[in-house]
Coordinates of all heavy atoms in Angstrom, one line a residue:
M1 N 135.2 126.0 63.4 CA 136.4 126.5 62.9 C 136.9 125.6 61.7 O 137.5 126.1 60.8 CB 137.5 126.5 64.0 CG 138.8 127.1 63.6 SD 138.6 128.8 63.3 CE 140.0 129.4 64.1
H2 N 136.6 124.4 61.8 CA 137.0 123.5 60.7 C 136.2 123.8 59.4 O 136.8 123.7 58.3 CB 136.7 122.0 61.0 CG 137.6 121.5 62.2 ND1 138.9 121.6 62.2 CD2 137.2 121.1 63.4 CE1 139.4 121.1 63.3 NE2 138.4 120.8 64.1
D3 N 135.0 124.3 59.6 CA 134.2 124.6 58.4 C 134.8 125.9 57.7 O 134.9 125.9 56.5 CB 132.8 125.0 58.8 CG 132.0 123.7 59.1 OD1 132.4 122.6 58.8 OD2 131.0 123.8 59.8
Q4 N 135.3 126.8 58.5 CA 135.9 128.0 57.9 C 137.2 127.6 57.1 O 137.4 128.1 56.0 CB 136.3 129.0 59.0 CG 136.9 130.3 58.5 CD 137.3 131.2 59.6 OE1 137.4 130.8 60.8 NE2 137.6 132.4 59.3
H5 N 138.0 126.7 57.7 CA 139.2 126.3 56.9 C 138.8 125.5 55.6 O 139.5 125.7 54.6 CB 140.0 125.3 57.8 CG 140.7 126.1 58.9 ND1 141.5 127.1 58.8 CD2 140.6 125.9 60.3 CE1 141.9 127.5 60.0 NE2 141.3 126.8 60.9
M6 N 137.7 124.8 55.7 CA 137.3 124.0 54.5 C 136.9 125.0 53.4 O 137.3 124.9 52.2 CB 136.1 123.1 54.8 CG 135.6 122.4 53.6 SD 134.0 121.6 53.9 CE 132.9 123.0 54.2
W7 N 136.1 126.0 53.8 CA 135.6 127.0 52.8 C 136.8 127.8 52.2 O 136.8 128.2 51.1 CB 134.6 128.0 53.4 CG 133.3 127.3 53.6 CD1 132.6 127.0 54.7 CD2 132.4 126.9 52.5 NE1 131.4 126.4 54.5 CE2 131.3 126.3 53.1 CE3 132.5 126.9 51.1 CZ2 130.2 125.8 52.4 CZ3 131.4 126.4 50.4 CH2 130.3 125.8 51.0
R8 N 137.8 128.2 53.1 CA 139.0 128.9 52.6 C 139.7 128.0 51.6 O 140.2 128.5 50.6 CB 139.9 129.3 53.8 CG 139.5 130.5 54.5 CD 140.5 130.9 55.5 NE 140.0 132.0 56.3 CZ 140.5 132.4 57.4 NH1 141.6 131.8 57.9 NH2 140.1 133.4 58.0
G9 N 139.9 126.7 51.9 CA 140.6 125.8 51.0 C 139.9 125.7 49.7 O 140.5 125.7 48.6
L10 N 138.6 125.6 49.7 CA 137.8 125.6 48.5 C 137.9 126.9 47.7 O 138.1 126.9 46.5 CB 136.3 125.3 48.8 CG 135.9 123.9 49.1 CD1 134.5 123.8 49.5 CD2 136.2 123.0 47.9
A11 N 137.9 128.0 48.4 CA 138.1 129.3 47.7 C 139.4 129.4 47.0 O 139.5 129.8 45.8 CB 137.9 130.4 48.7
V12 N 140.5 129.0 47.7 CA 141.8 129.0 47.0 C 141.9 128.0 45.9 O 142.4 128.4 44.8 CB 142.9 128.6 48.1 CG1 144.3 128.4 47.4 CG2 143.0 129.7 49.1
T13 N 141.3 126.8 46.0 CA 141.3 125.8 44.9 C 140.6 126.4 43.7 O 141.1 126.3 42.6 CB 140.7 124.5 45.4 OG1 141.4 124.0 46.6 CG2 140.7 123.5 44.3
Y14 N 139.4 126.9 44.0 CA 138.6 127.4 42.8 C 139.3 128.6 42.2 O 139.2 128.8 41.0 CB 137.2 127.8 43.3 CG 136.3 126.7 43.7 CD1 135.3 126.9 44.6 CD2 136.5 125.4 43.2 CE1 134.5 125.8 45.0 CE2 135.7 124.3 43.6 CZ 134.7 124.6 44.5 OH 133.9 123.5 44.9
A15 N 140.0 129.4 43.0 CA 140.7 130.6 42.4 C 141.8 130.1 41.5 O 142.1 130.6 40.4 CB 141.2 131.5 43.5
V16 N 142.5 129.1 41.9 CA 143.6 128.5 41.1 C 143.1 127.9 39.8 O 143.6 128.1 38.7 CB 144.4 127.5 41.9 CG1 145.4 126.7 41.0 CG2 145.2 128.1 43.0
V17 N 142.0 127.2 39.9 CA 141.4 126.6 38.7 C 140.9 127.7 37.8 O 141.1 127.6 36.5 CB 140.2 125.7 39.1 CG1 139.4 125.2 37.9 CG2 140.7 124.5 39.8
A18 N 140.4 128.8 38.3 CA 139.9 129.9 37.5 C 141.1 130.5 36.7 O 141.0 130.9 35.6 CB 139.2 131.0 38.3
I19 N 142.3 130.7 37.4 CA 143.5 131.2 36.8 C 143.9 130.3 35.6 O 144.3 130.8 34.6 CB 144.6 131.5 37.8 CG1 144.2 132.6 38.7 CG2 145.9 131.8 37.1 CD1 145.0 132.7 40.0
I20 N 143.9 129.0 35.9 CA 144.3 128.0 34.9 C 143.4 128.1 33.7 O 143.8 128.1 32.5 CB 144.4 126.6 35.4 CG1 145.5 126.5 36.5 CG2 144.6 125.6 34.3 CD1 145.5 125.3 37.3
Q21 N 142.1 128.2 33.9 CA 141.1 128.3 32.9 C 141.3 129.6 32.1 O 141.2 129.6 30.8 CB 139.7 128.2 33.4 CG 139.2 126.8 33.8 CD 139.1 125.9 32.7 OE1 139.7 124.8 32.7 NE2 138.4 126.2 31.7
L22 N 141.6 130.6 32.8 CA 141.8 131.9 32.1 C 143.0 131.8 31.2 O 143.0 132.3 30.1 CB 141.9 133.0 33.1 CG 142.0 134.4 32.6 CD1 140.8 134.8 31.8 CD2 142.3 135.4 33.7
Y23 N 144.1 131.2 31.7 CA 145.3 131.0 30.9 C 145.0 130.2 29.6 O 145.4 130.6 28.5 CB 146.4 130.4 31.7 CG 147.5 130.0 30.9 CD1 148.5 130.9 30.5 CD2 147.7 128.6 30.5 CE1 149.6 130.5 29.7 CE2 148.8 128.3 29.7 CZ 149.7 129.2 29.3 OH 150.8 128.8 28.6
L24 N 144.2 129.1 29.8 CA 143.8 128.3 28.6 C 143.0 129.1 27.7 O 143.2 129.0 26.4 CB 143.1 127.1 29.1 CG 143.9 126.0 29.7 CD1 142.9 124.9 30.3 CD2 144.8 125.4 28.8
G25 N 142.1 129.9 28.2 CA 141.2 130.7 27.3 C 142.0 131.8 26.5 O 141.8 132.0 25.3
V26 N 143.0 132.4 27.2 CA 143.8 133.4 26.5 C 144.8 132.8 25.5 O 144.9 133.3 24.4 CB 144.6 134.3 27.6 CG1 145.6 135.2 26.9 CG2 143.6 135.1 28.4
S27 N 145.4 131.7 25.9 CA 146.4 131.1 25.1 C 145.8 130.4 23.9 O 146.4 130.3 22.8 CB 147.3 130.2 25.9 OG 146.6 129.1 26.3
T28 N 144.7 129.8 24.0 CA 144.1 129.1 22.9 C 143.0 129.8 22.2 O 142.5 129.4 21.1 CB 143.5 127.7 23.4 OG1 142.4 128.0 24.3 CG2 144.5 126.8 24.0
G29 N 142.5 130.9 22.8 CA 141.4 131.6 22.2 C 140.0 130.9 22.3 O 139.1 131.3 21.7
A30 N 140.0 129.9 23.2 CA 138.7 129.2 23.4 C 137.8 130.0 24.3 O 138.1 130.3 25.4 CB 139.0 127.8 24.0
T31 N 136.6 130.3 23.8 CA 135.6 131.0 24.5 C 135.1 130.2 25.7 O 134.9 130.8 26.8 CB 134.4 131.4 23.6 OG1 134.9 131.9 22.4 CG2 133.5 132.3 24.3
W32 N 135.0 128.9 25.6 CA 134.5 128.1 26.7 C 135.4 128.2 27.9 O 134.9 128.1 29.0 CB 134.3 126.6 26.2 CG 135.5 126.0 25.7 CD1 136.0 125.9 24.5 CD2 136.5 125.3 26.6 NE1 137.2 125.2 24.4 CE2 137.5 124.8 25.7 CE3 136.6 125.0 27.9 CZ2 138.6 124.1 26.2 CZ3 137.7 124.3 28.4 CH2 138.7 123.9 27.5
A33 N 136.7 128.3 27.6 CA 137.6 128.4 28.8 C 137.4 129.7 29.5 O 137.5 129.7 30.8 CB 139.0 128.2 28.3
G34 N 137.1 130.8 28.8 CA 136.9 132.0 29.5 C 135.6 132.0 30.3 O 135.5 132.5 31.4
V35 N 134.6 131.3 29.7 CA 133.3 131.2 30.5 C 133.5 130.3 31.7 O 133.1 130.7 32.8 CB 132.2 130.5 29.6 CG1 131.0 130.2 30.4 CG2 131.9 131.5 28.4
L36 N 134.3 129.2 31.6 CA 134.6 128.4 32.8 C 135.4 129.2 33.8 O 135.2 129.0 35.0 CB 135.2 127.1 32.4 CG 134.3 126.0 31.8 CD1 135.2 124.8 31.4 CD2 133.3 125.6 32.8
A37 N 136.3 130.0 33.3 CA 137.1 130.8 34.3 C 136.2 131.7 35.1 O 136.4 131.9 36.3 CB 138.2 131.6 33.5
A38 N 135.2 132.3 34.5 CA 134.3 133.2 35.2 C 133.4 132.4 36.2 O 133.2 132.8 37.3 CB 133.3 133.9 34.2
V39 N 133.0 131.1 35.8 CA 132.3 130.3 36.7 C 133.1 129.9 37.9 O 132.7 130.0 39.1 CB 131.8 129.0 36.0 CG1 131.2 128.0 36.9 CG2 130.7 129.4 34.9
W40 N 134.4 129.5 37.7 CA 135.3 129.2 38.8 C 135.6 130.4 39.7 O 135.7 130.2 40.9 CB 136.6 128.5 38.3 CG 136.4 127.2 37.8 CD1 136.6 126.8 36.5 CD2 136.0 126.0 38.5 NE1 136.3 125.4 36.4 CE2 136.0 124.9 37.6 CE3 135.7 125.7 39.8 CZ2 135.6 123.6 38.0 CZ3 135.4 124.4 40.2 CH2 135.4 123.4 39.3
L41 N 135.7 131.5 39.1 CA 135.9 132.7 39.9 C 134.7 133.0 40.8 O 134.9 133.4 42.0 CB 136.2 133.9 39.0 CG 136.5 135.2 39.7 CD1 137.7 135.1 40.5 CD2 136.6 136.4 38.7
L42 N 133.5 132.9 40.2 CA 132.3 133.0 41.1 C 132.2 132.0 42.2 O 131.9 132.3 43.3 CB 131.0 132.9 40.2 CG 130.8 134.1 39.3 CD1 129.5 133.8 38.4 CD2 130.5 135.4 40.1
A43 N 132.7 130.8 41.9 CA 132.7 129.8 43.0 C 133.7 130.1 44.0 O 133.5 129.9 45.2 CB 133.0 128.4 42.3
A44 N 134.9 130.7 43.6 CA 135.9 131.1 44.6 C 135.4 132.2 45.5 O 135.6 132.2 46.7 CB 137.1 131.5 43.9
L45 N 134.7 133.2 44.8 CA 134.1 134.3 45.6 C 133.1 133.8 46.6 O 133.0 134.3 47.7 CB 133.6 135.4 44.7 CG 134.6 136.1 43.8 CD1 133.9 137.0 42.8 CD2 135.5 136.9 44.7
G46 N 132.2 132.9 46.1 CA 131.2 132.4 47.0 C 131.8 131.6 48.2 O 131.3 131.7 49.3
S47 N 132.8 130.8 47.9 CA 133.5 130.1 49.0 C 134.2 131.0 50.0 O 134.2 130.8 51.2 CB 134.5 129.1 48.4 OG 133.8 128.1 47.6
G48 N 134.8 132.0 49.4 CA 135.4 133.0 50.3 C 134.4 133.7 51.2 O 134.7 134.0 52.4
A49 N 133.2 134.0 50.6 CA 132.2 134.7 51.4 C 131.7 133.7 52.5 O 131.4 134.1 53.7 CB 131.0 135.1 50.5
A50 N 131.6 132.4 52.2 CA 131.2 131.4 53.1 C 132.2 131.3 54.3 O 131.8 131.1 55.4 CB 130.9 130.1 52.5
A51 N 133.5 131.3 53.9 CA 134.5 131.2 54.9 C 134.4 132.4 55.9 O 134.6 132.3 57.1 CB 135.9 131.2 54.3
R52 N 134.2 133.6 55.3 CA 134.1 134.8 56.1 C 132.9 134.7 57.0 O 133.0 135.1 58.2 CB 134.0 136.0 55.2 CG 134.1 137.3 55.9 CD 134.2 138.5 54.9 NE 134.0 139.7 55.6 CZ 135.0 140.4 56.0 NH1 136.2 140.0 55.9 NH2 134.8 141.6 56.6
W53 N 131.8 134.2 56.5 CA 130.6 134.1 57.3 C 130.8 133.1 58.4 O 130.4 133.3 59.6 CB 129.4 133.7 56.4 CG 128.1 133.5 57.1 CD1 127.3 134.5 57.5 CD2 127.5 132.3 57.6 NE1 126.2 134.1 58.2 CE2 126.3 132.7 58.3 CE3 127.9 131.0 57.6 CZ2 125.5 131.8 58.9 CZ3 127.1 130.1 58.2 CH2 125.9 130.5 58.8
Q54 N 131.4 131.9 58.1 CA 131.7 130.9 59.1 C 132.6 131.5 60.2 O 132.3 131.2 61.4 CB 132.4 129.7 58.5 CG 131.5 128.8 57.7 CD 130.5 128.0 58.6 OE1 130.8 127.7 59.7 NE2 129.4 127.7 58.0
G55 N 133.6 132.2 59.9 CA 134.5 132.8 60.9 C 133.7 133.9 61.7 O 134.0 134.0 62.9
H56 N 132.8 134.6 61.1 CA 132.1 135.6 61.8 C 131.1 135.0 62.9 O 130.9 135.5 63.9 CB 131.3 136.4 60.8 CG 131.1 137.8 61.2 ND1 131.2 138.3 62.5 CD2 130.7 138.9 60.5 CE1 131.0 139.6 62.5 NE2 130.6 140.0 61.3
H57 N 130.6 133.8 62.5 CA 129.6 133.2 63.4 C 130.1 132.0 64.2 O 129.4 131.4 65.0 CB 128.4 132.7 62.6 CG 127.6 133.8 62.0 ND1 127.9 134.4 60.8 CD2 126.5 134.4 62.4 CE1 127.1 135.3 60.5 NE2 126.2 135.4 61.5
A58 N 131.4 131.8 64.1 CA 132.0 130.7 64.8 C 132.0 130.9 66.3 O 131.7 130.0 67.1 CB 133.5 130.5 64.4
H59 N 132.2 132.1 66.8 CA 132.1 132.4 68.2 C 130.7 132.2 68.8 O 130.6 131.6 69.8 CB 132.6 133.8 68.5 CG 132.5 134.2 69.9 ND1 133.4 133.7 70.9 CD2 131.7 135.0 70.6 CE1 133.1 134.2 72.1 NE2 132.0 135.0 71.9
D60 N 129.7 132.6 68.0 CA 128.3 132.4 68.5 C 128.0 130.9 68.6 O 127.4 130.5 69.6 CB 127.4 133.1 67.5 CG 127.5 134.6 67.4 OD1 128.1 135.2 68.4 OD2 127.1 135.2 66.4
D61 N 128.5 130.1 67.6 CA 128.3 128.7 67.7 C 129.0 128.0 68.9 O 128.4 127.1 69.5 CB 128.7 128.0 66.4 CG 127.9 128.4 65.2 OD1 126.7 129.0 65.4 OD2 128.3 128.3 64.1
D62 N 130.2 128.5 69.2 CA 131.0 127.9 70.3 C 130.2 128.2 71.6 O 130.1 127.3 72.4 CB 132.4 128.5 70.3 CG 133.3 128.0 69.2 OD1 132.9 127.0 68.6 OD2 134.3 128.7 69.0
V63 N 129.7 129.4 71.8 CA 129.0 129.7 73.0 C 127.7 128.9 73.1 O 127.4 128.4 74.2 CB 128.7 131.3 73.0 CG1 127.8 131.6 74.2 CG2 130.0 132.1 73.1
A64 N 127.0 128.8 72.0 CA 125.8 128.0 72.0 C 126.0 126.6 72.3 O 125.3 125.9 73.1 CB 125.0 128.2 70.7
S65 N 127.1 126.0 71.7 CA 127.4 124.6 72.0 C 127.8 124.3 73.4 O 127.5 123.3 74.0 CB 128.4 124.0 71.0 OG 129.7 124.7 71.2
D66 N 128.5 125.3 74.0 CA 128.9 125.2 75.4 C 127.7 125.2 76.3 O 127.6 124.4 77.3 CB 129.9 126.3 75.8 CG 131.3 126.1 75.2 OD1 131.6 125.0 74.8 OD2 132.0 127.1 75.2
E67 N 126.8 126.1 76.0 CA 125.6 126.2 76.8 C 124.7 125.0 76.6 O 124.1 124.5 77.6 CB 124.8 127.5 76.4 CG 125.5 128.7 76.9 CD 124.8 130.0 76.4 OE1 123.8 129.8 75.6 OE2 125.2 131.1 76.7
S68 N 124.6 124.4 75.4 CA 123.8 123.2 75.2 C 124.4 122.0 75.8 O 123.7 121.1 76.2 CB 123.5 123.0 73.7 OG 124.6 122.7 73.0
A69 N 125.7 122.0 75.9 CA 126.4 120.8 76.4 C 126.1 120.7 77.9 O 126.1 119.6 78.5 CB 127.9 120.9 76.2
R70 N 125.9 121.8 78.6 CA 125.6 121.7 80.0 C 124.3 121.0 80.3 O 124.1 120.4 81.3 CB 125.6 123.2 80.6 CG 126.9 123.8 80.6 CD 126.9 125.1 81.4 NE 128.1 125.8 81.1 CZ 128.2 127.0 80.6 NH1 127.1 127.7 80.3 NH2 129.4 127.6 80.4
G71 N 123.4 121.2 79.4 CA 122.1 120.6 79.5 C 122.0 119.1 79.1 O 121.0 118.4 79.2
C72 N 123.1 118.6 78.6 CA 123.2 117.2 78.1 C 123.5 116.2 79.2 O 123.5 115.0 78.9 CB 124.2 117.1 77.0 SG 123.7 118.0 75.5
L73 N 123.8 116.6 80.4 CA 124.2 115.7 81.5 C 123.0 115.0 82.0 O 121.9 115.6 82.2 CB 124.9 116.4 82.6 CG 126.3 117.0 82.3 CD1 126.8 117.8 83.5 CD2 127.3 116.0 81.8
S74 N 123.1 113.7 82.3 CA 122.0 113.0 82.9 C 122.0 113.4 84.4 O 122.9 114.0 84.9 CB 122.1 111.5 82.8 OG 123.3 111.1 83.5
S75 N 120.9 113.0 85.1 CA 120.8 113.4 86.5 C 122.0 112.7 87.3 O 122.5 113.3 88.3 CB 119.5 113.0 87.1 OG 119.3 111.6 87.0
T76 N 122.4 111.5 87.0 CA 123.5 110.9 87.6 C 124.8 111.6 87.4 O 125.6 111.8 88.3 CB 123.6 109.4 87.1 OG1 122.3 108.7 87.3 CG2 124.7 108.7 87.9
E77 N 125.0 112.0 86.2 CA 126.2 112.8 85.9 C 126.2 114.1 86.6 O 127.3 114.5 87.1 CB 126.3 113.0 84.4 CG 126.6 111.7 83.6 CD 126.5 111.9 82.1 OE1 125.7 112.7 81.7 OE2 127.3 111.2 81.4
E78 N 125.1 114.8 86.7 CA 125.0 116.0 87.4 C 125.3 115.8 88.9 O 126.0 116.6 89.5 CB 123.6 116.7 87.2 CG 123.4 117.3 85.9 CD 122.1 117.9 85.7 OE1 121.5 118.4 86.8 OE2 121.6 118.0 84.6
E79 N 124.8 114.7 89.4 CA 125.1 114.4 90.8 C 126.6 114.2 91.1 O 127.1 114.6 92.1 CB 124.3 113.2 91.3 CG 122.8 113.5 91.4 CD 122.0 112.2 91.6 OE1 122.6 111.1 91.8 OE2 120.7 112.3 91.6
L80 N 127.2 113.5 90.1 CA 128.6 113.3 90.3 C 129.4 114.6 90.2 O 130.4 114.7 90.9 CB 129.1 112.3 89.2 CG 128.8 110.8 89.3 CD1 129.1 110.0 88.1 CD2 129.5 110.3 90.5
V81 N 129.0 115.4 89.3 CA 129.7 116.7 89.2 C 129.5 117.5 90.5 O 130.5 118.1 91.0 CB 129.2 117.5 88.0 CG1 129.7 119.0 88.0 CG2 129.6 116.8 86.7
Q82 N 128.3 117.5 91.0 CA 128.1 118.3 92.3 C 128.8 117.6 93.4 O 129.4 118.3 94.3 CB 126.6 118.3 92.6 CG 125.8 119.1 91.6 CD 124.3 119.0 91.8 OE1 123.8 118.2 92.6 NE2 123.5 119.7 91.0
W83 N 128.9 116.3 93.5 CA 129.7 115.6 94.5 C 131.1 116.0 94.4 O 131.8 116.3 95.4 CB 129.5 114.1 94.4 CG 130.3 113.3 95.3 CD1 130.0 113.1 96.6 CD2 131.6 112.7 95.0 NE1 131.1 112.3 97.2 CE2 132.0 112.1 96.2 CE3 132.3 112.6 93.9 CZ2 133.2 111.4 96.3 CZ3 133.5 111.9 94.0 CH2 134.0 111.3 95.2
A84 N 131.7 116.0 93.2 CA 133.1 116.3 93.0 C 133.4 117.8 93.4 O 134.4 118.1 94.0 CB 133.5 116.1 91.6
A85 N 132.4 118.6 93.1 CA 132.6 120.1 93.5 C 132.6 120.2 95.0 O 133.4 121.0 95.6 CB 131.5 120.9 92.8
R86 N 131.6 119.5 95.7 CA 131.6 119.6 97.1 C 132.9 119.0 97.7 O 133.4 119.6 98.7 CB 130.4 118.8 97.7 CG 129.1 119.5 97.5 CD 128.0 118.9 98.3 NE 127.8 117.5 98.0 CZ 127.0 117.0 97.1 NH1 126.2 117.8 96.4 NH2 126.9 115.7 96.9
R87 N 133.3 117.9 97.2 CA 134.5 117.3 97.7 C 135.8 118.2 97.5 O 136.6 118.3 98.4 CB 134.7 116.0 96.9 CG 135.9 115.2 97.3 CD 135.5 114.1 98.2 NE 136.7 113.4 98.6 CZ 136.8 112.2 98.9 NH1 135.7 111.4 98.8 NH2 137.9 111.6 99.2
A88 N 135.8 118.9 96.4 CA 136.9 119.8 96.2 C 136.9 121.0 97.1 O 137.9 121.4 97.6 CB 136.9 120.2 94.7
S89 N 135.7 121.5 97.3 CA 135.5 122.6 98.2 C 135.8 122.2 99.7 O 136.3 123.0 100.5 CB 134.2 123.3 98.1 OG 133.2 122.4 98.6
D90 N 135.5 121.0 100.1 CA 135.8 120.5 101.4 C 137.3 120.4 101.6 O 137.8 120.7 102.7 CB 135.2 119.1 101.7 CG 133.6 119.2 101.8 OD1 133.1 120.3 102.0 OD2 133.0 118.2 101.6
R91 N 138.0 120.0 100.6 CA 139.5 119.9 100.7 C 140.2 121.2 100.9 O 141.2 121.3 101.5 CB 140.1 119.2 99.5 CG 139.7 117.7 99.5 CD 140.4 117.0 98.4 NE 140.1 115.6 98.4 CZ 140.3 114.8 97.4 NH1 141.0 115.2 96.3 NH2 140.0 113.5 97.4
T92 N 139.6 122.3 100.3 CA 140.2 123.6 100.3 C 140.0 124.3 101.6 O 140.7 125.2 102.0 CB 139.8 124.5 99.2 OG1 138.3 124.6 99.2 CG2 140.2 123.9 97.8
L93 N 138.9 123.9 102.3 CA 138.6 124.5 103.6 C 139.4 123.9 104.7 O 140.2 124.0 105.3 CB 137.1 124.3 104.0 CG 136.1 125.0 103.0 CD1 134.7 124.6 103.4 CD2 136.3 126.5 103.1

């Protein structure tokens, strides 16, 4: 989720820079400013696409990380979890 926010922030930043460059290009007649405005606009569009892609795949990554986290317990930790589960079920009976 943090990656999606980062990409969105970059997209907004690049879009603002593109608008400023476009203003400079129009007000001064500088061709280089218009070219840079196009470059910044492409960067904004790419960052926006990356944000959309990150948001689309964030759920898949969360599920995968939850599943992989289960396999990260050592045998001692797994025994403790099983002991705590047995203890909790004994108390409810």
Side-chain angles (χ1 to χ4, degrees):
M1 187 65 136
H2 296 300
D3 289 340
Q4 183 183 12
H5 292 299
M6 177 193 66
W7 285 113
R8 279 187 185 163
L10 282 174
V12 170
T13 302
Y14 292 155
V16 169
V17 171
I19 291 168
I20 293 169
Q21 284 295 127
L22 185 61
Y23 171 76
L24 286 173
V26 170
S27 65
T28 63
T31 310
W32 61 268
V35 171
L36 282 177
V39 169
W40 287 114
L41 182 62
L42 287 175
L45 291 174
S47 297
R52 186 173 172 90
W53 182 80
Q54 285 288 332
H56 210 344
H57 292 86
H59 177 70
D60 297 339
D61 292 342
D62 290 342
V63 170
S65 66
D66 288 344
E67 289 175 357
S68 66
R70 289 187 194 124
C72 293
L73 295 177
S74 68
S75 61
T76 306
E77 291 169 328
E78 286 182 26
E79 290 171 6
L80 284 172
V81 170
Q82 291 171 356
W83 175 81
R86 282 193 306 269
R87 180 97 184 213
S89 68
D90 290 344
R91 288 185 181 171
T92 58
L93 297 174

